[in-house]
Amino acid sequence: MKKETIALLLAGGQGNRLGILTKKVAKPAVFYGAKYRIIDFALSNCANSGVGTVGVLTQYRPLKLNSHIGIGKPWDMDRFNGGVTILSPYSKGEVGEWYKGSAGAVYQNIHYVDEMDPKYVLVLSTDHVYKMDYREMLGFHKANKAEVTISVIDVPLEEASRLGIMSAEPSGRITEFEEKPKAPKSTLASMGIYVFNWDVLRRYLIADNDDPASSKDFGKNIITSMLRDRIGMWAYRFEGYWKDVGTIQAYWEANMDLLERVPRLNLFDRNSRIYTPNPVMPAHFIGGTGDVRRSVLAEGCMVYGKVYNSIVSTGAYIGEGAEVIDSVVMPGVRIGKGSTVAKTILCENARVGDRCVIGVGAMAENAYMPEIYCTDIDVIGEDATVPDGTMIGKNVAVDNGVKASDFKGVTVASGSYVAASA
Amino acid sequence: MKNMIGIILTGGRNHVLGGLTAERCVAALPVGGKYRAIDFPLSNMVNSQITKVGVITQYAFRSLMDHLGAGKEWDLDRKMGGLFIFPPFILDSESEWYKGSADALYNNISFIQRSVEEYVVIAQGNCIYNMCYGDMLGYHLAKGGDITIAYKECLDIDEPSLSQLGILRTDGDGRVVEMDEKPERPKYRNVSMGVYIMKGSFLVEVLKECAARGKYNLVKDVFVDMLGELKVYRYRFDGYWRSLNNVGVFYRCNMEMLDPGVRQELFLSGRRIYTKVKDETPAKYNEEAQVRNSVVGDGCIIEGTVEDSVLFRGATVNRGCRVKGSIVMQDGRLEPFSSIENVIMDKNSAVSQGTHVRGEAGAPRLIRKGEIV
């Protein structure tokens, strides 16, 4: 069945800068915005752009991701023709192998794309939250008779050296690409959203696979070789909200962005909804002692305490006298009576006992992984239990599945790491 | 429970509910911030492992059909069994609307005849409760009667509401000896929940007989008239149960969703209540929000004060607004500096800027669907 355009979602990465958030799930499966997972944005954008054929390339801890996507019902992708297909690494007799790099992953699935026989392939990274109509980008691609179009966004100069930076002629034609340049020549950052003419991409994927020196990365290898060969490559400027959620700080900020009076990422627009499997939960309940301001709350929550400037996800429980401030509370979290939780990310089903104080104190460098835990945000892992009366400072990470007995005493100093016992 | 099918009756026009049922049937009444009444009996069936359910509709069923769709949300989109919807249909010039519950069932008798399942549970589309019909079938089998009727001892409802229901009197063995349908002066407080279990073959016989005699009402013409000849037993239910028969009960039932005990029993007991998915985004509370003792659905935006109220999906409470003791249905809007107290705002209605609307706690004021006050 011939399709004009199909999408390939690169969802195989771990996203290790998110620390314990991605220890048990792939980054695209991390919760965001009280109800969603990060991959919902790319999938819903496809659905809202009329791209009904989507391959999702998974590799790292795909269980949650696979069950989340299922047969694609929430995105209307349970179709006879096309729909969503999970593409996991597979064995080919003697030579089966894991995906090596983003381009390597697509190379391994050339047969999938060939079967759909598309003219254009949208290659999408799934590490960002944004709403975009890919049809407009495709229109731009066609109008320029481009062979490759890369979506770019203007970023502040100081951020440019963390990103893939494009230099373009005034017409929009890309002349140069630099990955994380020390001295950026432009502020146009690649958003990890590409439109390729499939025949061109296919050729380059095969050539790249034959090059033993290549690290099989889209930016570093494919785009660079194409530019060297003067392939027609254009920059499509995107003006809307686009946020990388690759670090703990960025993840927290992206959640907080939803609390603006009119958030730049408008999730209320019924013409371009973000879809996700809907939980079977009643509407949420604010008790007589509850107080919620400047926050986003999902279904199934029960709030008897105070919530300010926070994201509270599906089925969370906040006890009487508790205070939750500047925090991201993931689904199924329980916060006991009289506890204070400030600037903390609480992962799925984490349990905080009564009278705890979390995220209060002086900042200190993290002793365990200072390059990952480098802000004043605390992270309490999935299924972790914080016993009654525990005092936790800032920049603390409590591992997934930590039990009450794993805590050595009632005080956890800023910058500590609480590990789970085997 | 592969041996039972379910039938849900959604009833005719209910005048007592006034504007609330002007454009929808009672079974489609919104409850608890995101549900419709029919979600409860339908989910009860699914939770009792019943996989073949017929819904008999007559009055204003468009919104009900829209809600039920192919039964996907109840896991009833199946090749074998699944959801069947039976609106009245025209065969010839003699065809009419359903004349009563027995007539409605008789018109769809092939659904019962063709089912391989031995038993049938009939339930009403307008009742709010969480119950396992499987346990009731167990009781039915143990008693060995012809019909088992679920009942609840309703101590907390007033006489006018009581006289809109069916009242049962039983002997020491639990056999029903008297049945009073909508009595003017109810003598007892044992209320029939309108949930009946019997053999499918028995129901078919009874329906044929009714049709032959020109009788149309299942309760009056079968249960009441034939009580002496049949063995009818009652099955006691002690959980939460409300039949949405009038505006007062409708309002009260929604307000009871604020009771943690009721919420626990209805929604968090393990037998879940399913409903149509709307893909709304989670509710947003802005800086000025002050919300207490309220149920809030997805897609709401709140900038005002909300107390003792139920806000359905997509409701908006703007700045300076005050909502107290009220029900705001889907996409209801309160423009800045307006207020409502003891008000039911039907779907898509609005209260304009600076307007104040007030009802009595016993007699809530209704703002009709799409109306702008």
Side-chain angles (χ1 to χ4, degrees), chain A residues 146-356:
Chain A
E147 287 164 295
V148 183
T149 300
I150 302 176
S151 188
V152 296
I153 192 162
D154 209 358
V155 295
L157 191 63
E158 60 271 23
E159 278 182 37
S161 50
R162 297 196 289 113
L163 299 161
I165 296 298
M166 305 284 164
S167 302
E169 293 168 0
S171 66
R173 182 154 180 168
I174 296 169
T175 52
E176 205 181 339
F177 169 76
E178 291 176 291
E179 187 75 46
K180 295 174 187 150
K182 288 216 172 67
K185 290 177 191 151
S186 119
T187 53
L188 293 181
S190 163
M191 296 164 63
I193 299 167
Y194 310 92
V195 175
F196 292 101
N197 287 357
W198 174 235
D199 56 343
V200 176
L201 176 61
R202 196 178 189 284
R203 211 166 62 228
Y204 275 86
L205 286 172
I206 292 169
D208 186 63
N209 187 63
D210 292 340
D211 175 6
S214 164
S215 51
K216 313 215 168 3
D217 183 78
F218 263 99
K220 213 189 292 176
N221 306 107
I222 302 288
I223 299 299
T224 309
S225 330
M226 285 176 165
L227 276 174
R228 191 186 54 221
D229 297 349
R230 300 188 166 277
I231 289 283
M233 190 182 294
W234 296 73
Y236 171 76
R237 274 186 182 239
F238 180 70
E239 306 280 347
Y241 179 92
W242 174 84
K243 189 108 181 175
D244 175 33
V245 286
T247 64
I248 287 171
Q249 177 72 24
Y251 172 81
W252 179 83
E253 278 173 12
N255 274 285
M256 292 299 127
D257 285 345
L258 292 175
L259 304 176
E260 295 296 326
R261 190 172 295 276
V262 181
R264 291 187 60 212
L265 182 66
N266 182 3
L267 299 178
F268 282 85
D269 181 0
R270 288 183 174 170
N271 295 318
S272 59
R273 289 182 200 265
I274 301 301
Y275 302 99
T276 193
N278 281 275
V280 182
M281 289 267 186
H284 69 249
F285 176 62
I286 313 293
T289 53
D291 179 16
V292 180
R293 282 183 299 129
R294 209 185 135 83
S295 294
V296 167
L297 260 79
E299 289 182 325
C301 295
M302 283 194 266
V303 179
Y304 295 95
K306 208 169 152 178
V307 177
Y308 185 72
N309 207 41
S310 296
I311 300 282
V312 183
S313 311
T314 313
Y317 177 93
I318 293 164
E320 200 174 329
E323 272 189 51
V324 178
I325 305 154
D326 305 334
S327 294
V328 179
V329 178
M330 291 196 201
V333 167
R334 193 180 171 90
I335 297 170
K337 283 180 191 164
S339 290
T340 298
V341 175
K343 210 169 179 184
T344 298
I345 298 167
L346 292 135
C347 297
E348 202 179 357
N349 295 326
R351 292 276 181 276
V352 174
D354 297 344
R355 305 175 316 280
C356 294

Side-chain angles (χ1 to χ4, degrees), chain A residues 35-36 258 260-261 267 270 273 278 281-288 290 293-297 299 308, chain B residues 34-35 258 263 277-289 292-296 298 303 331:
Chain A
K35 167 176 188 183
Y36 308 100
L258 292 175
E260 295 296 326
R261 190 172 295 276
L267 299 178
R270 288 183 174 170
R273 289 182 200 265
N278 281 275
M281 289 267 186
H284 69 249
F285 176 62
I286 313 293
R293 282 183 299 129
R294 209 185 135 83
S295 294
V296 167
L297 260 79
E299 289 182 325
Y308 185 72
Chain B
K34 68 181 284 200
Y35 302 98
L258 305 176
R263 286 177 65 78
V277 157
K278 291 274 194 221
D279 293 303
E280 288 287 356
T281 197
K284 185 155 188 294
Y285 293 73
N286 281 342
E287 189 73 51
E288 307 79 7
R292 211 157 286 146
N293 194 37
S294 294
V295 164
V296 179
D298 266 3
E303 299 187 329
D331 294 336

Side-chain angles (χ1 to χ4, degrees), chain B residues 179-225:
Chain B
M179 210 171 160
D180 248 351
E181 182 66 1
K182 301 182 180 165
E184 265 180 48
R185 309 205 129 258
K187 285 178 280 184
Y188 311 98
R189 290 196 158 261
N190 289 341
V191 173
S192 161
M193 294 166 62
V195 180
Y196 318 112
I197 289 182
M198 64 199 88
K199 271 198 173 153
S201 54
F202 172 82
L203 179 60
V204 167
E205 288 312 308
V206 168
L207 292 175
K208 281 182 177 167
E209 207 188 310
C210 269
R213 288 193 287 141
K215 303 280 189 180
Y216 306 118
N217 190 302
L218 187 67
V219 176
K220 253 196 292 199
D221 301 328
V222 180
F223 300 162
V224 177
D225 277 8

Side-chain angles (χ1 to χ4, degrees), chain A residues 36-75:
Chain A
Y36 308 100
R37 294 185 191 259
I38 294 166
I39 197 169
D40 292 339
F41 289 85
L43 279 172
S44 303
N45 286 338
C46 284
N48 293 331
S49 306
V51 178
T53 305
V54 176
V56 182
L57 290 86
T58 62
Q59 170 152 298
Y60 174 79
R61 292 208 180 256
L63 179 64
K64 287 263 174 73
L65 206 51
N66 290 349
S67 65
H68 178 73
I69 296 170
I71 57 168
K73 244 178 179 174
W75 303 274

Side-chain angles (χ1 to χ4, degrees), chain B residues 109-170:
Chain B
I109 201 162
S110 58
F111 172 70
I112 309 163
Q113 280 173 325
R114 279 187 209 143
S115 295
V116 292
E117 292 81 357
E118 206 177 344
Y119 294 92
V120 180
V121 55
I122 299 176
Q124 310 302 316
N126 65 334
C127 295
I128 310 303
Y129 61 117
N130 187 330
M131 173 177 175
C132 178
Y133 300 137
D135 293 349
M136 182 172 163
L137 177 63
Y139 179 88
H140 177 78
L141 295 177
K143 280 289 178 187
D146 298 312
I147 303 169
T148 298
I149 302 180
Y151 82 101
K152 177 166 165 76
E153 197 179 355
C154 294
L155 301 173
D156 62 347
I157 62 175
D158 57 16
E159 211 162 83
S161 298
L162 215 52
S163 51
Q164 289 176 325
L165 299 161
I167 309 293
L168 304 181
R169 189 167 70 83
T170 54

